[in-house]
Amino acid sequence: IDLTSHIIKVYLTLKVENLGTSPASEVHLAFSPAEAEHLAIVKAAATSGKRKKKTYIPLDVKSAELPDGPNGTKFFTVTLLTPLNKGETATLEVLYILTHSLEPFPVEITQSESQLVYFRDSAILLSPYHVKEQTTFIKTPSTRVESFTVVDPAKRAGTELKYGPYEDQPPYSYSPVLVHFENNNPFAVVEELEREIEISHWGNVQVTERYRLVHAGARHKGAFSRVEYQTRPDATGVSSFKHLLAKLPPRVHSVYYRDEIGNVSTSNLRTDYRKSELEFQPRYPLFGGWKSTFVIGYGLPLQDFLFESPDGRRYLNFTFGCPLTQTVVDKLILKVVLPEGSKDPTAVIPFQVDQHLEIKYSYLDVIGRTVVVLEKSNVVPEHNVPFQVYYTFNPIFMLAEPLMLSIAIFLFFVASVSYLHADLSIRK
Amino acid sequence: MAASSKPGSPRPPPSSSSSMAQDLFNNFSFSKTLKLKTKQQELLIRVTVLTLIYILAFITRLFSVLRYESMIHEFDPYFNYRTTLYLTKNGFAEFWNWFDSESWYPLGRIIGGTLYPGLMLTAAALYWVLRFLRFAVHIREVCVLTAPFFASNTTLVAYFFGKEIWDSGAGIVAAALIAICPGYISRSVAGSYDNEGVAIFALLLTFYLFVKAVNTGSLAWALASAFGYFYMVSAWGGYVFIINLVPLYVLVLLVTGRYSLRLYVAYNCMYVVGMLLAMQIRFVGFQHVQSGEHMAAMGVFFLLQVFFFLDWVRHLLSDAKLFEAFLRITVTGAVSVGAIALGVGTASGYISPWTGRFYSLLDPTYAKDHIPIIASVSEHQPTAWSSFMFDFHILLILFPAGLYFCFKRLSDATIFIVMYGLTSMYFAGVMVRLILVATPAVCLISAIAVSATVKNLTRLVRSQSQAVQSGSSKGASTAKSSSKGVIDNSQPFQRNGAILLLLGAFYLLTRYAIHCTWVTSEAYSSPSIVLAARGAHGNRVIFDDYREAYFWLRQNTPPDAKVMSWWDYGYQITAMGNRTVIVDNNTWNNTHIATVGRAMSSYEDEAYEIMRSLDVDYVLVVFGGVTGYSSDDINKFLWMVRIGGGVFPVIKEPDYLVNGEYRVDKGAAPKMLNCLMYKLSYYRFGELTTEYGKPPGFDRARGVEIGNKDIKLEYLEEAFTTQNWIVRIYKVKPPKNRW
């Protein structure tokens, strides 16, 4: 269990053996209700080979219902590549990510204190199966651990806590542990992120991202002293953050960073041929509980993202998720604004999202543009995977707007000419 | 002949002269190929030049957008922006009935009844039209560009006005001059979303339409001018200038014996319809019949009726003696009735006396003695000679010359422009901000000077050169080209002198254009929200502290928090911080402002009582000691003391001064060193070293080491201080539990 940031990563290495008689093709993973609520993603992979030559084959993970689970336990099912026959074993690597699972305590801290958090889990893996042997390692960001529940055998060395090995636990055993430790990493949470990707067939993809950022760590209490913050940056406001980093696609251009009341001048863009990095500062350093809203926008060359599929449809290939590093997005709304006149949009995403369509009116639109809206809650950096939106589009629509403009100007000139030549006076 | 008409017509400022030359060139080729008629050629040139001036007026105002960003400037524009936003979101009815509880806490403000809605409605209308045409613009962009757009329109009005009072050449010169005149640009750069932006357009339009109405005697033009007046009333309080200048003008025409039926029709229609329309604006209401400032117009209205009546009687009576007797009776009767009506009206309170602002316009020393709140605003100070030079440049010299030409060719129209020029110049001298009102008049009169001079000179040059090379008239188009072909001349000195003078005029106008561009880019394009300075290596350093603080307020304070600050920042806090303020720039309640002034200048415990009674949650002060920003609250502090002391005699100005001197260092008055404003500004400042080689707590704005470095706050705590310390926000602690 990796607790170094506020996004908790849990790596499970499972060695499963089929003790039953019939071949088993599925392995169930169990999560307690609290975990299930904060679960962002579950990934599983089958491993084969030894140490360095380990290969990972991603496996299918689905949420499932099991009748015999104790109160409120949620299940996920991992489908194995090949069913396990009796007595066979397989090694699985499971990664799941929890968000909002570190509870700051004390809840409010002053500027000079550092942030302490609670982490609750079970020393023993919750599982519908009989567990023969299990060890839990917990990695903390610093050596400062205030307290931890001792479930023998447990020991602490440096930044690592070791629980176990525990042997022969019955199904659904649970042994709560509580770790109280220091975590001064930025608890940057985007409460809502709205990404709008607007495709123009004139060669540009315009991305606008509206953030509502909050520091979700321990709340700031008492005064904020600028003297302290300026003169002793190491000792004060350690849990606050003022820099954010956004990873943008390469060949990004016309990047802007602003908020409701205007442009924010503190940002820095680095570009190279593989990626672009936008380093920026909110208007003020964010302490616990402080909020900030801002907008980042940029343009991208169309040919990098828009392709034509073999059946003649066009598709946009873009990255899902939030470009900010090390942030959790509570609610992500992704809008793909297709050009005016495009039809039959379908989105292909590797995981479950809510979808619906909208109409948006932009410059010189008559019938409006179709907008594919994708919504997903609890998004972590692991969700930054490509997705596709397919649609059909007739290039003749590209000419509609220039034509409208030219006709308007032409009519204006005609009107001027006729005005100059006409005699409108009543008297002769 | 297109070519020959050119030197007489206007030379727009050299910044556009290259394109102008190109147009001329185009025109030559055009005229050769298309064989346009002279009239058409002239029209083409005029339209092209006007279009160029129109565009120039717009783009020269975009410096602020290029240098900074598309944002609203200064203080009042933020209120206008906020109301426009409200208008576009909630519609007109809501806007008109809007009671704003976010300002003047706990009193609130009836927005619909206390503002001039013209600007907001204009911007909203532009926004709705653009939206309808499917231009997906943001309302902010519309607001930012409203002033430049109207400045462009003003150039067109100036052209027509100049054409009306002199000729089309003067019109074009006037349009060119006003397009880049710094006096006007100062209030109409992109982002300066203030009433004046549209009001100058409305003012000039009303005047133009009125002069047109007087010249033609047409009811339609008079009606149009009434509507222009209505627009002006809806846009700016400066309409009082129109309603006093126009009657004055009519009076002067009457006295000089220029009375005509045209004048009668124009004034009556304009006054009656304009007055009725103006009453529709809630903020103005019945002032046209009830306020002392508007009585002159009404008096002249009645006087005009008497005049007309007398004219009619004279027409009926053939006997001169009889008429004289009748005249005497009528005039005495009318005057006494008018005087009695005015006296009774004033005594009974039906007619309100002149307001302080009006007095302070007529008498520059009035505000200083009686209304500190007006005197405390820097733009209400009497104008320094240098700022005339700065804002008008060569127009200051051309203005008297133009007056000379006007007097030489006196007509109803020129009398008007002369009066407009002289009165507005007086007001410009009284208050800095009224340079703006004088600018159109100065431009028009100067344009007459330029146009008339250049026309006379070119006529001289042309008549000579035509005599020499009679055939090719086109070669004589400019003074330069013609100067080569001439050898023999009857009056060589005159001709060469004319050429020299033309070149001189050209040089002057070039200087003017350069000056205007420089002023616009350097002096008038700063938004004053964002401060820019040059760093040690010549790089541009931006201090964005205001927005940092306002955005912090917006995001991290409870939505119903009340913020106390000096009134200057009220509009910005409500617009950008979205929080309730105690006082703001609409200084309608002097007592309330004095209460804030009193709190700022009291000791902390006394101030705490006042702040508790006002429900204040946060106190915001502006402090320039770290950056050397001089227009901060410590430098404004004496005005707080004065305004506070004006209402609450507990606050005495001498308590804060040492031997009549205002200082913040060790030698400062003890009350000064311990008052709330001092404490809030310098809290923990004593620990900070601002400049190398100076002791800690060195105030860079005033260049001294502060006198009280050990400041303890008992009832407040520092809530936020911006990066460069320009804005400091303190939280008022809740009262302690007593037991």
Side-chain angles (χ1 to χ4, degrees), chain A residues 36-229:
Chain A
E37 198 184 319
H38 297 131
L39 195 65
I41 195 169
V42 184
K43 279 199 229 173
T47 53
S48 56
K50 295 231 162 120
R51 302 244 159 182
K52 284 190 178 165
K53 288 183 181 171
K54 243 181 195 175
T55 51
Y56 293 94
I57 302 151
L59 299 175
D60 218 20
V61 184
K62 267 186 249 151
S63 95
E65 291 290 324
L66 276 194
D68 58 341
N71 42 9
T73 311
K74 289 270 163 55
F75 292 95
F76 281 83
T77 306
V78 179
T79 315
L80 297 176
L81 288 175
T82 49
L84 285 182
N85 293 322
K86 182 177 159 49
E88 276 185 346
T89 61
T91 310
L92 294 179
E93 291 264 348
V94 178
L95 163 70
Y96 65 89
I97 289 174
L98 298 173
T99 58
H100 296 289
S101 299
L102 295 178
E103 180 194 336
F105 188 87
V107 179
E108 290 190 327
I109 54 169
T110 62
Q111 193 179 345
S112 54
E113 289 172 321
S114 68
Q115 177 172 270
L116 300 172
V117 291
Y118 279 147
F119 174 67
R120 294 165 209 276
D121 198 6
S122 164
I124 301 159
L125 182 72
L126 188 69
S127 164
Y129 307 108
H130 185 86
V131 180
K132 237 182 205 170
E133 186 187 316
Q134 188 225 335
T135 324
T136 305
F137 295 97
I138 296 177
K139 204 176 157 212
T140 58
S142 71
T143 50
R144 189 174 162 198
V145 175
E146 295 284 300
S147 67
F148 62 96
T149 318
V150 178
V151 181
D152 279 328
K155 77 170 191 238
R156 187 186 146 209
T159 61
E160 201 172 76
L161 287 171
K162 185 181 173 191
Y163 284 97
Y166 307 108
E167 290 180 1
D168 283 332
Q169 300 290 337
Y172 303 116
S173 3
Y174 196 77
S175 154
V177 291
L178 181 70
V179 187
H180 193 198
F181 64 101
E182 183 191 58
N183 189 341
N184 279 326
N185 282 305
F187 277 41
V189 173
V190 181
E191 288 184 328
E192 190 180 294
L193 166 62
E194 188 187 317
R195 298 183 81 192
E196 193 177 278
I197 301 159
E198 189 167 337
I199 303 166
S200 159
H201 277 253
W202 290 95
N204 191 32
V205 176
Q206 180 66 35
V207 185
T208 314
E209 296 168 350
R210 297 185 184 83
Y211 291 88
R212 220 169 66 206
L213 186 76
V214 67
H215 186 302
R219 297 185 62 81
H220 177 68
K221 178 176 74 176
F224 163 70
S225 169
R226 179 64 78 169
V227 181
E228 306 256 319
Y229 190 77

Side-chain angles (χ1 to χ4, degrees), chain A residues 237-255:
Chain A
V238 278
S239 66
S240 70
F241 59 92
K242 60 177 181 181
H243 292 280
L244 290 167
L245 186 71
K247 289 210 162 75
L248 305 179
R251 304 222 283 155
V252 65
H253 64 88
S254 30
V255 180

Side-chain angles (χ1 to χ4, degrees), chain B residues 334-471:
Chain B
V335 168
S336 50
V337 165
I340 288 168
L342 195 68
V344 169
T346 317
S348 65
Y350 182 76
I351 298 172
S352 63
W354 289 354
T355 58
R357 276 172 199 267
F358 199 71
Y359 269 121
S360 61
L361 265 184
L362 298 181
D363 174 11
T365 56
Y366 180 82
K368 218 173 192 173
D369 302 333
H370 296 90
I371 328 167
I373 203 147
I374 291 184
S376 75
V377 181
S378 62
E379 60 181 20
H380 290 164
Q381 305 300 322
T383 316
W385 177 237
S386 58
S387 56
F388 271 117
M389 201 57 209
F390 196 65
D391 279 355
F392 289 141
H393 201 238
I394 58 158
L395 302 186
L396 219 50
I397 309 157
L398 293 173
F399 180 66
L403 285 181
Y404 163 76
F405 281 108
C406 287
F407 277 113
K408 240 179 114 184
R409 207 177 94 181
L410 219 51
S411 68
D412 289 358
T414 47
I415 288 179
F416 182 84
I417 194 70
V418 165
M419 288 188 57
Y420 174 27
L422 291 179
T423 49
S424 62
M425 267 311 233
Y426 173 73
F427 292 131
V430 173
M431 260 192 206
V432 179
R433 65 189 287 201
L434 293 180
I435 282 189
L436 180 71
V437 177
T439 304
V442 172
C443 287
L444 278 164
I445 294 177
S446 308
I448 291 174
V450 173
S451 172
T453 314
V454 172
K455 201 169 203 173
N456 287 346
L457 292 176
T458 43
R459 191 172 294 143
L460 209 62
V461 171
R462 230 175 58 215
S463 60
Q464 313 271 322
S465 54
Q466 262 179 344
V468 178
Q469 18 168 259
S470 50

Side-chain angles (χ1 to χ4, degrees), chain B residues 12 40 47 104 234 268 304 335 355 382 388 399 422 424 429 458 520 523 614 654:
Chain B
Q40 283 173 325
V47 170
W104 293 95
S234 75
N268 283 337
L304 213 54
V335 168
T355 58
F388 271 117
F399 180 66
L422 291 179
S424 62
T458 43
T520 312
L614 286 174

